[in-house]
């Protein structure tokens, strides 16, 4: 098992720019979710993908979009960056259905918007 | 809409003593509850979970208690060790929502030697 890997680990962007964050799921996991963790808060669900299809979305605007690829790797894209988008972005993967451990999380990408 | 709440942002406990972390939720339909532990610069790691049909689950030093009528769960760590110093997140999920997780804001635990 290689776990969940995310890249880059840190990123600084200017307001109004676009950003793409990447995630490589744990081997055998076909479900991937993205979470945003603002400072001092718990992770907030952005969206989930299962077999390359979006499978649910949290309370985030359409400028947050994603993709899942046939190898189950994933991207999170954010357009028209705002200062409030500064946060830790976590990718999490799991096999289909419930697992007692929930999801396996990556270490995250720290995005700073200036 | 914060469906999962951890009202204590921090907890300090002496090594060897019990740590008790609390979590409240508002959605009575939640099926599963989990606790995650997070060290700085790392992602959350799974600690222990409990199904809504149980009221207790134990794994080594960690025990989770669920009180459905009060919509309350707690995590007990006995005995507390210095390596337990971390941020602890309570999370809940709904099978009907494909098990997406709703997290609390976290409790920072500091274990004093």
């Amino acid at each position: 098992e290689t776990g969940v890997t995310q890249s880059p680990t840190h990123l600084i962007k200017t307001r109004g720019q676009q950003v793409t964050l990447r995630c490589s799921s744990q081997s055998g996991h076909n479900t991937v979710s993205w979470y945003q963790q603002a400072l001092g808060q718990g992770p907030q669900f952005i969206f989930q993908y299962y077999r390359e299809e979006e499978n649910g979305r949290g309370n985030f605007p359409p400028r947050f979009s994603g993709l899942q690829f046939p190898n189950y790797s994933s991207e999170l894209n954010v357009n028209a960056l705002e200062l409030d988008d500064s946060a830790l972005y976590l990718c999490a993967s799991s096999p289909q259905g419930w697992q007692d451990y929930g999801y396996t999380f990556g270490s995250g990408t720290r995005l700073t918007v200036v | 809409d914060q469906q999962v709440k951890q009202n204590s942002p921090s907890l300090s406990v002496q090594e060897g003593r019990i740590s008790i972390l609390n979590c409240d939720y508002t959605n009575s339909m939640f099926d599963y509850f989990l606790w995650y532990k997070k060290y700085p610069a790392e992602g959350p790691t799974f600690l222990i979970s409990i199904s809504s049909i149980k009221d207790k689950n134990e794994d080594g030093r960690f025990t989770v208690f669920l009180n459905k009528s009060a919509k309350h769960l707690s995590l007990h760590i006995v005995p507390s060790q210095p390596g337990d110093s971390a941020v602890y997140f309570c999370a809940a999920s709904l099978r009907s929502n494909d098990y997406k997780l709703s997290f609390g804001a976290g409790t920072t635990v500091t274990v004093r030697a």
Side-chain angles (χ1 to χ4, degrees), chain A residues 32-36 43-49 54-66 76, chain B residues 1 3 97-103:
Chain A
V32 66
S33 302
W34 285 89
Y35 289 81
Q36 180 197 65
Q44 299 293 312
F45 173 74
I46 303 175
F47 43 58
Q48 182 178 83
Y49 279 81
E54 187 177 291
N55 180 31
R57 186 177 187 91
N59 190 25
F60 281 81
R63 58 189 186 83
F64 285 78
S65 63
L76 165 65
Chain B
D1 178 21
Q3 296 190 76
N97 196 25
D98 291 313
Y99 307 109
K100 301 173 184 68
L101 297 177
S102 297
F103 282 89

Side-chain angles (χ1 to χ4, degrees), chain A residues 35 37 42 45 55 100-101 103 106, chain B residues 36 43 46 49 98 100-101 104:
Chain A
Y35 289 81
Q37 186 183 5
F45 173 74
N55 180 31
D100 283 347
Y101 58 82
Y103 294 87
Chain B
Y36 283 87
F46 171 75
S49 64
D98 291 313
K100 301 173 184 68
L101 297 177

Side-chain angles (χ1 to χ4, degrees), chain B residues 1 8 20 28 30 46 48 59 66 75 80 87 93 106-108:
Chain B
D1 178 21
S8 297
I20 299 177
S28 60
F30 281 134
F46 171 75
I48 192 168
D59 184 2
L66 176 62
L75 173 69
S80 299
V87 180
S93 72
T107 297
T108 301

Side-chain angles (χ1 to χ4, degrees), chain A residues 37-80:
Chain A
Q37 186 183 5
L39 199 61
Q41 298 181 23
Q44 299 293 312
F45 173 74
I46 303 175
F47 43 58
Q48 182 178 83
Y49 279 81
Y50 170 65
R51 292 188 174 179
E52 303 174 56
E53 296 285 333
E54 187 177 291
N55 180 31
R57 186 177 187 91
N59 190 25
F60 281 81
R63 58 189 186 83
F64 285 78
S65 63
L67 283 172
Q68 187 184 29
F69 300 100
N71 65 356
Y72 302 133
S73 64
S74 175
E75 287 182 356
L76 165 65
N77 298 288
V78 187
N79 293 320

Side-chain angles (χ1 to χ4, degrees), chain B residues 49-68:
Chain B
S49 64
I50 187 168
S51 163
S52 60
I53 63 173
K54 296 184 177 180
D55 54 19
K56 177 181 175 182
N57 189 26
E58 195 170 354
D59 184 2
R61 296 186 298 113
F62 303 94
T63 302
V64 57
F65 296 92
L66 176 62
N67 182 335
K68 283 184 293 184

Side-chain angles (χ1 to χ4, degrees), chain B residues 20-99:
Chain B
I20 299 177
L21 290 78
N22 294 302
C23 177
D24 297 296
Y25 60 95
T26 57
N27 189 342
S28 60
M29 302 300 291
F30 281 134
D31 298 300
Y32 297 97
F33 303 87
L34 308 91
W35 286 92
Y36 283 87
K37 177 179 177 180
K38 187 179 185 301
Y39 294 118
E42 295 183 13
T45 56
F46 171 75
L47 202 54
I48 192 168
S49 64
I50 187 168
S51 163
S52 60
I53 63 173
K54 296 184 177 180
D55 54 19
K56 177 181 175 182
N57 189 26
E58 195 170 354
D59 184 2
R61 296 186 298 113
F62 303 94
T63 302
V64 57
F65 296 92
L66 176 62
N67 182 335
K68 283 184 293 184
S69 61
K71 297 193 186 69
H72 177 83
L73 66 157
S74 61
L75 173 69
H76 293 206
I77 307 173
V78 185
S80 299
Q81 299 175 352
D84 296 332
S85 295
V87 180
Y88 290 78
F89 291 102
C90 170
S93 72
L94 268 167
R95 182 180 62 188
S96 62
N97 196 25
D98 291 313
Y99 307 109

